[in-house]
Amino acid sequence: MKKILVVLTNYAQYGERKEATGLWLGEATEFVREVKKAGFDVDYVSPNGGYVPIDPRSIKYASTEDLEMYNSEDFRTFALARSMKANEIKSANYCAIYFTGGHGVMWDFPHNEILHKISLDIFNNEGYLTSVCHGISALLYMKDWNDEWMIKGKHITGFTNSEEILSGKRNRVPFLNENIAKEHGAIFEKKRAYSEYAVQDGQFITGQNPFSPKAVAKILVKNLKKK
């Protein structure tokens, strides 16, 4: 059985601001628990490999199960300390790629050509491109072999403009995911701020916010079990 590739950020602050961010813990742990429960293995990768910072605010909102995984040797070693480097990945080994969130991803996901190539290879091999919250930033600038935006005409979701305002980080991020999605021709869907929501359109499965990793995982597992 092929694995699921979980993508994490290496970015620890908001651009040049001396303000900590990174991976939103639950967006990794909740997804991974769900797919592992269904019998799927995961690998952890980041653009540069190695250390993955945790957004300190996400610890405050972490569940007991999130913290158990956070403190496990496997997660601390292979996700947070020794994540694989993007250029080490063989896309043929994966049936899906999952882009986690946290504000850090806004700097090292959107224009990473290696991650884009891995994603396109997985997609062309009938695999799934999935994301949650700010992780959608990785999908926004991907192009297909015809140099077209891959999200054009697709129903997708991600962290909304209103959620960014409510988070208090509107003026910290380099762009708004909802705006770019619409500019690139996607059909951006959303529900009430900070409520669980995930949407599938073919090989795209996306979740709106930090409350949506399990919803993304459940849809992905349902699709993979059919194969």
Side-chain angles (χ1 to χ4, degrees):
M1 184 182 292
K2 291 185 177 181
K3 297 180 180 181
I4 298 168
L5 188 62
V6 177
V7 191
L8 314 166
T9 184
N10 297 121
Y11 227 87
Q13 61 192 59
Y14 292 83
E16 299 303 317
R17 292 175 181 268
K18 294 180 179 179
E19 183 177 351
T21 186
L23 164 70
W24 194 269
L25 179 62
E27 293 177 17
T29 55
E30 291 180 19
F31 175 89
V32 170
R33 274 201 312 273
E34 198 68 31
V35 298
K36 282 192 170 184
K37 185 170 66 175
F40 293 91
D41 286 331
V42 305
D43 281 337
Y44 300 101
V45 66
S46 60
N48 299 325
Y51 173 67
V52 170
I54 297 288
D55 188 314
R57 295 178 306 139
S58 70
I59 300 297
K60 176 182 177 182
Y61 295 99
S63 68
T64 300
E65 290 178 315
D66 292 334
L67 292 176
E68 286 177 357
M69 183 176 289
Y70 170 66
N71 287 310
S72 70
E73 183 177 352
D74 180 80
F75 189 80
R76 289 208 164 190
T77 300
F78 297 106
L80 302 182
R82 302 179 194 167
S83 63
M84 299 172 69
K85 191 174 182 179
N87 64 10
E88 298 172 342
I89 295 299
K90 294 182 179 180
S91 55
N93 294 335
Y94 303 96
C95 58
I97 187 169
Y98 171 69
F99 291 96
T100 59
H103 281 93
V105 308
M106 297 288 284
W107 280 269
D108 60 357
F109 280 10
H111 303 289
N112 189 292
E113 294 181 1
I114 298 174
L115 291 176
H116 288 188
K117 177 63 165 56
I118 294 168
S119 299
L120 186 55
D121 286 345
I122 291 172
F123 183 86
N124 287 335
N125 200 29
E126 300 184 349
Y128 294 86
L129 306 188
T130 73
S131 68
V132 74
C133 201
H134 290 88
I136 195 177
S137 64
L139 306 179
L140 297 179
Y141 291 93
M142 287 184 188
K143 289 188 173 183
D144 60 22
W145 298 118
N146 296 316
D147 203 37
E148 294 281 349
W149 300 118
M150 291 187 70
I151 61 170
K152 184 178 180 180
K154 298 294 183 181
H155 293 261
I156 61 172
T157 190
F159 208 57
T160 67
N161 290 355
S162 59
E163 286 169 329
E164 200 67 84
I165 293 168
L166 289 170
S167 76
K169 306 301 180 183
R170 166 65 184 87
N171 295 322
R172 302 286 196 274
V173 293
F175 59 86
L176 294 173
N177 290 305
E178 181 178 344
N179 287 355
I180 300 298
K182 292 175 179 177
E183 287 175 16
H184 291 178
I187 303 162
F188 191 89
E189 298 190 0
K190 56 186 175 181
K191 290 203 172 178
R192 180 173 54 84
Y194 293 107
S195 61
E196 181 185 74
Y197 182 56
V199 60
Q200 178 176 6
D201 190 333
Q203 291 166 255
F204 287 85
I205 304 170
T206 50
Q208 182 173 320
N209 51 44
F211 295 91
S212 308
K214 286 183 182 179
V216 173
K218 287 178 179 178
I219 295 173
L220 176 60
V221 166
K222 183 177 180 181
N223 280 268
L224 293 176
K225 290 289 188 179
K226 290 179 181 178
K227 294 197 171 187

